[in-house]
Amino acid sequence: MITKCLFPAAGYGTRFLPATKATPKEMLPVLTKPLIQYGVEEALEAGINTMAVVTGRGKRAIEDHFDISYELEHQIKGTSKEPLLDEIRSLISQCTFSYTRQLQMKGLGHAILTGETLIGNEPFAVILADDLCENNGNDSVLKQMTEVYEKYQCSIVAIEEVPMDQTNKYGVIAGKLVDNTDDTYRVTNMVEKPDPKDAPTNMAIIGRYILTPDIFDILRNTEPGKGGEIQITDALLEQAKQGKVIAYKFKGRRFDCGSVEGFVEATNYFYEKTFQ
Ligand code: G1P
């Protein structure tokens, strides 16, 4: 059983400056909900109610969002506005949140290692909130992945095929199909953000992982890789060499809300879905 979900949320969000100068990128809203709330809802839907967030300087709005706001609640109590807080109130009441700060930005692998103190020695999920996933009322991507984990009991990465000229934006995997369906691969190689000419395939990792806790020891010994940062992709390659990583081609749709185009696409999609 996976009971904890880690949210690396310390990054600067430079692609959204100046919006992210004083506001965490995870708090940018798609319609009326911040990105990280979509992530927490997805985790909860997968049966996970312990949220562990790796934050950094300037990220306190995340903690405040998942807390009671007495003054605001007092102000709108009994008015027509009160129901607007129902959803977040209900969410908070079903989860616990714990936080730790990443002091230096040394990459996603380092952020995940920073979360070890909140996770301990058990398998856990990771959600990168700027990848917003949705599956039209069917099982969420993380829920699908927990089922894959139950079957294989090793680390799981979610993948999707991307145009070959975009491999340099993602961790890219190569693998062998493990059953008759075309959605589960035993990973044989993985490379962080390869140039298209060096990419083993066009199967890109998106921001959903289930990791076994031996990843922490591996991360401690992982040298900085692409961009001089400690990469989760490099650490996972060590597990993959022992046949212990499964890539899962998820059902549903992912919006890259770390980019302006993806963010606008997500906004339009959820607007149509909610109001049309
Ligand atoms: C990170 C990972 C990358 C993965 C991507 C998914 O990159 O390093 O392997 O494909 O998330 O969104 P980032 O987007 O943080 O640069």
Side-chain angles (χ1 to χ4, degrees):
M1 267 275 283
I2 308 291
T3 63
K4 294 180 180 167
C5 185
L6 188 70
F7 293 82
Y12 297 124
T14 46
R15 280 186 288 177
F16 273 89
L17 282 170
T20 46
K21 192 172 168 222
T23 303
K25 65 173 173 164
E26 297 77 13
M27 290 301 293
L28 296 177
V30 167
L31 304 190
T32 56
K33 263 193 304 200
L35 286 172
I36 193 163
Q37 187 177 336
Y38 287 92
V40 169
E41 287 172 357
E42 185 181 333
L44 194 61
E45 200 228 305
I48 298 171
N49 59 12
T50 304
M51 311 299 162
V53 191
V54 178
T55 65
R57 286 178 291 281
K59 299 279 187 165
R60 285 172 60 176
I62 298 175
E63 294 177 49
D64 291 340
H65 185 69
F66 295 112
D67 197 351
I68 293 167
S69 170
Y70 281 108
E71 194 177 328
L72 174 65
E73 304 214 2
H74 176 74
Q75 281 291 329
I76 67 173
K77 198 171 171 52
T79 74
S80 60
K81 303 265 171 60
E82 196 176 1
L84 297 175
L85 287 179
D86 285 352
E87 205 178 10
I88 181 73
R89 270 189 193 145
S90 153
L91 190 66
I92 295 168
S93 70
Q94 295 174 72
C95 310
T96 64
F97 294 86
S98 55
Y99 301 87
T100 190
R101 279 195 185 197
Q102 186 183 10
L103 301 182
Q104 289 173 292
M105 301 306 123
K106 294 198 211 162
L108 179 57
H110 180 258
I112 291 173
L113 181 56
T114 304
E116 180 182 22
T117 180
L118 305 175
I119 298 293
N121 188 27
E122 58 182 276
F124 60 103
V126 176
I127 288 184
L128 307 184
D130 49 15
D131 274 340
L132 178 48
C133 291
E134 113 91 35
N135 195 20
N136 238 329
N138 299 310
D139 283 355
S140 68
V141 175
L142 199 58
K143 175 97 185 352
Q144 297 167 42
M145 291 173 75
T146 55
E147 277 157 22
V148 177
Y149 175 78
E150 292 301 320
K151 184 162 171 197
Y152 294 98
Q153 304 279 324
C154 66
S155 289
I156 316 288
V157 295
I159 52 163
E160 73 177 6
E161 292 190 39
V162 296
M164 207 60 204
D165 63 359
Q166 288 182 25
T167 56
N168 57 359
K169 287 165 52 183
Y170 301 95
V172 173
I173 69 116
K176 294 197 179 77
L177 272 176
V178 283
D179 59 24
N180 293 330
T181 60
D182 69 348
D183 58 11
T184 323
Y185 298 80
R186 180 84 56 189
V187 175
T188 52
N189 191 14
M190 48 206 312
V191 192
E192 179 67 7
K193 303 196 173 103
D195 280 344
K197 65 175 174 25
D198 303 321
T201 68
N202 66 338
M203 292 195 284
I205 302 169
I206 65 132
R208 299 289 180 279
Y209 305 78
I210 290 180
L211 302 173
T212 53
D214 54 308
I215 201 74
F216 294 127
D217 274 341
I218 300 174
L219 279 168
R220 255 185 282 283
N221 294 307
T222 300
E223 297 291 326
K226 192 88 186 183
E229 297 188 331
I230 297 172
Q231 300 292 350
I232 189 63
T233 306
D234 295 341
L236 277 163
L237 179 59
E238 293 306 308
Q239 291 185 328
K241 285 178 187 162
Q242 300 160 38
K244 289 184 179 157
V245 180
I246 293 287
Y248 169 64
K249 216 187 255 179
F250 65 95
K251 295 180 187 62
R253 192 161 170 193
R254 174 197 67 114
F255 297 95
D256 173 15
C257 290
S259 75
V260 174
E261 304 75 42
F263 195 92
V264 171
E265 240 179 85
T267 303
N268 289 335
Y269 174 88
F270 281 93
Y271 180 77
E272 299 265 311
K273 201 177 141 184
T274 314
F275 297 111
Q276 300 293 297

